[in-house]
């Protein structure tokens, strides 16, 4: 049998990504076409999340001839996380494994472990409901050095030297807990709750071991951050909406940090506060106590235009919203943010007042198409309903009409559903 190169072995691990590109690959942008022929630096392949590659050494004609070259199984960590996609950069496979979401660097030719990094145990990490849900890591070159970024089950952000796995010196701020590195870390919960009214009302000293006090909410992570033009953008994940037993929760605000220093840059409020766009869509003052609007799915970005695209899930609780009347921005939406400032450029809400667990489940995909004889930059968001919402990714203008159609009223006392819901006219679901 023909021997395959290390880079081909990596793509054998993600054959579904290679062979499933289909029509999207045929419309792929210059950005995807010019991507490195030997690397996969994002879990979606590139910042556009096209999940495609120009590599062709493995193809339908020889796929059946592939054989297992090696298997990696570090039983002390637990299995490789089923939801994770490894990145491949500078001759290394880097992914996450086990309930502690241990970062693992492997030699793709032999499967040999090159380094591992594991977050110290805390109350908040042991409590995490999404510990084994990690989808992978982020990567960027910062100051000429390769850096791996990971958000942990305990909701810390780490910056690791891609060659050694060691936390970066002089990056972020020290976490005052045993076992934590002196640098290379940021406590995301501390930044999330700062200036949030339910936290301030507790008048309590912040405890980094506990993190978010459970009586006011719960926060962790699922997808890795995304690094865009020197900015690390961090999403998050809350308690599963179908398990929630109370109307209070924490807003899943988007956080951003300087990739070079770890310094906090900005926060985007997922539940608009007074004076902010969309605040009027939260009646009953529900913006004060509810939450769960996060970006548990991966994000995508357009580095050329400095935009990051945030897919969001629904508000607390998944199947009842009588306590939060209104359309509830920015739940179940796609939001385009300026990556340097965190300012909203545009948004679109796919489901008004979501009570159906229709949270946006996957990263948006960026591509360029020709429409009416001109090249159009596009972002497409697919949903659980199998709709594909397509927009000009710069302006947010729908590519084809999206019609607001009458929707049925609810039968549950106290529930007030939206009168209409948006349906794309093209492409067909």
């Amino acid at each position: 049998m023909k021997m395959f190169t290390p880079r081909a072995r990596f793509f054998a691990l993600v054959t579904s990504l290679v062979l499933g590109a289909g029509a999207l690959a045929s419309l792929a942008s210059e950005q995807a076409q010019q991507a490195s022929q030997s690397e996969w630096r994002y879990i979606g392949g590139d910042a556009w999340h096209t999940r495609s590659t120009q590599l062709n050494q493995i193809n339908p004609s020889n796929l059946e001839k592939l054989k297992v070259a090696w298997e990696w199984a570090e039983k002390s960590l637990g299995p490789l996380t089923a939801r994770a996609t490894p990145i491949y950069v500078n001759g290394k496979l880097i992914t996450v494994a086990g309930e502690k979401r241990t970062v693992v660097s492997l030699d793709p030719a032999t499967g040999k472990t090159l380094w591992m990094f594991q977050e110290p145990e805390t109350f908040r990490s042991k409590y995490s409901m999404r510990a084994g849900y990690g989808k992978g890591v982020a990567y960027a070159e910062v100051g000429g050095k390769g850096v791996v970024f990971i958000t942990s089950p305990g909701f810390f952000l780490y910056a690791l030297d891609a060659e050694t796995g060691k936390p970066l010196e002089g990056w972020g701020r020290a976490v005052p807990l045993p076992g934590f590195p002196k640098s290379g870390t940021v406590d995301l919960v501390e930044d999330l709750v700062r200036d949030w009214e339910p936290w301030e009302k507790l008048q309590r000293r912040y405890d980094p071991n506990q993190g978010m006090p459970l009586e006011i909410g719960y926060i962790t992570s699922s997808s890795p951050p995304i690094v865009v033009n020197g900015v690390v953008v961090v999403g998050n994940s809350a308690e599963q909406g179908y398990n929630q037993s109370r109307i209070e929760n924490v807003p899943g605000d988007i956080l951003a940090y300087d990739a070079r220093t770890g310094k906090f840059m900005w926060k985007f409020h997922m539940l608009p506060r007074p004076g902010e766009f969309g605040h009027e869509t939260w009646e009953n003052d529900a913006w004060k106590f509810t939450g769960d609007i996060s970006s548990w799915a991966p994000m995508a970005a357009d580095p050329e235009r400095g935009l990051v695209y945030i897919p969001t899930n629904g508000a607390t609780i998944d199947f009842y919203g009588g306590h939060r009347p209104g359309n509830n921005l920015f739940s179940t939406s796609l939001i385009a943010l300026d990556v340097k400032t965190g300012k909203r450029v545009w948004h679109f809400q796919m489901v008004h007042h979501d009570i159906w667990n229709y949270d946006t489940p996957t990263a948006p995909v960026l591509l360029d198409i020709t429409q009416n004889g001109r090249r159009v930059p596009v972002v497409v968001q697919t949903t659980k309903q199998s709709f594909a919402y397509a927009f000009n990714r710069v302006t947010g203008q729908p590519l084809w009409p999206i019609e607001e159609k009458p929707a049925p009223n609810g039968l549950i006392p106290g529930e007030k559903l939206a009168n209409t819901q948006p349906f794309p006219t093209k492409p067909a679901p």
Side-chain angles (χ1 to χ4, degrees):
M1 172 185 152
K2 178 180 177 182
M3 295 300 292
F4 289 91
T5 64
R7 76 180 187 186
R9 286 196 188 99
F10 162 64
F11 285 102
L13 297 178
V14 288
T15 301
S16 62
L17 301 181
V18 178
L19 300 181
L24 179 60
S26 68
L27 295 173
S29 66
E30 286 83 1
Q31 186 269 353
Q33 294 170 354
Q34 295 171 3
S36 171
Q37 291 293 287
S38 62
E39 295 191 327
W40 189 273
R41 293 192 170 201
Y42 298 77
I43 62 169
D46 50 34
W48 292 30
H49 212 86
T50 57
R51 292 173 287 188
S52 62
T53 175
Q54 298 299 305
L55 294 176
N56 57 15
Q57 192 172 11
I58 297 173
N59 55 62
S61 69
N62 59 28
L63 182 61
E64 292 184 355
K65 299 177 183 179
L66 293 178
K67 295 181 180 179
V68 175
W70 51 262
E71 293 183 9
W72 185 91
E74 182 53 68
K75 294 183 179 179
S76 65
L77 300 178
L80 281 171
T81 306
R83 290 173 170 82
T85 299
I87 64 169
Y88 176 52
V89 61
N90 293 332
K92 295 177 180 63
L93 282 176
I94 306 175
T95 189
V96 295
E99 289 292 311
K100 293 187 176 181
R101 209 175 296 172
T102 302
V103 186
V104 182
S105 175
L106 305 174
D107 182 331
T110 65
K112 178 183 177 182
T113 300
L114 301 175
W115 57 259
M116 293 192 297
F117 174 83
Q118 187 176 94
E119 127 172 285
E121 194 168 84
T122 57
F123 169 82
R124 58 204 260 193
S125 66
K126 289 188 292 184
Y127 184 79
S128 176
M129 298 177 184
R130 297 185 182 268
Y133 283 50
K135 296 179 177 63
V137 300
Y139 174 86
E141 292 183 354
V142 181
K145 175 183 292 188
V147 180
V148 174
F149 297 92
I150 174 73
T151 46
S152 70
F155 205 46
F156 294 94
L157 172 66
Y158 296 92
L160 310 175
D161 187 314
E163 291 299 316
T164 66
K166 295 181 179 180
L168 292 188
E169 294 184 4
W171 194 94
R173 57 184 186 264
V175 175
L177 291 173
F180 273 77
K182 295 181 179 179
S183 65
T185 314
V186 168
D187 185 340
L188 297 168
V189 174
E190 189 175 21
D191 291 333
L192 189 71
V193 300
R194 187 182 298 116
D195 79 1
W196 181 46
E197 185 174 332
W199 160 252
E200 292 181 338
K201 281 185 174 180
L202 291 179
Q203 295 184 332
R204 183 185 305 176
R205 184 177 180 180
Y206 179 72
D207 179 0
N209 181 58
Q210 181 186 49
M212 178 69 64
L214 295 180
E215 63 263 40
I216 59 173
Y218 169 78
I219 200 77
T220 182
S221 68
S222 176
S223 297
I226 189 169
V227 187
V228 190
N229 300 347
V231 181
V232 185
V233 183
V234 181
N236 52 71
S237 181
E239 184 179 21
Q240 289 92 333
Y242 40 81
N243 286 337
Q244 291 164 352
S245 59
R246 58 187 178 180
I247 62 175
E248 295 84 9
N249 209 338
V250 57
D253 294 341
I254 303 300
L255 305 171
Y257 298 85
D258 187 314
R260 185 180 295 271
T261 65
K263 182 179 179 181
F264 174 80
M265 291 182 63
W266 52 260
K267 181 193 313 187
F268 179 80
H269 295 144
M270 286 295 205
L271 273 75
R273 299 181 182 185
E276 295 179 344
F277 184 92
H279 176 71
E280 72 284 354
T281 67
W282 291 89
E283 302 172 23
N284 192 34
D285 280 338
W287 66 275
K288 289 184 176 181
F289 57 81
T290 193
D292 196 20
I293 302 176
S294 60
S295 179
W296 66 264
M299 297 169 281
D302 184 342
E304 180 184 356
R305 295 173 173 86
L307 297 176
V308 60
Y309 300 90
I310 317 291
T312 72
N313 64 317
T316 311
I317 302 170
D318 273 1
F319 301 117
Y320 179 74
H323 57 284
R324 50 174 172 86
N327 280 355
N328 305 147
L329 287 180
F330 292 95
S331 68
T332 317
S333 300
L334 179 63
I335 314 168
L337 301 180
D338 183 298
V339 75
K340 290 295 185 182
T341 65
K343 301 295 184 182
R344 181 189 63 90
V345 178
W346 61 266
H347 79 280
F348 187 87
Q349 187 176 53
M350 276 79 72
V351 181
H352 309 316
H353 189 78
D354 189 356
I355 62 162
W356 300 278
N357 192 27
Y358 279 158
D359 48 321
T360 316
T362 187
V365 176
L366 279 60
L367 61 153
D368 289 347
I369 70 168
T370 300
Q371 186 182 47
N372 299 325
R374 63 187 184 92
R375 199 73 165 168
V376 181
V378 176
V379 58
V380 180
Q381 180 67 64
T382 55
T383 71
K384 286 183 176 179
Q385 306 96 298
S386 295
F387 292 142
Y389 292 86
F391 308 94
N392 181 308
R393 66 174 178 268
V394 180
T395 66
Q397 182 70 25
L399 219 59
W400 299 283
I402 298 175
E403 298 178 346
E404 288 282 343
K405 295 184 178 181
N409 294 319
L411 302 178
I412 301 175
E415 182 65 270
K416 183 182 178 182
L417 301 183
N419 293 325
T420 64
Q421 295 290 349
F423 289 80
T425 56
K426 292 181 181 181

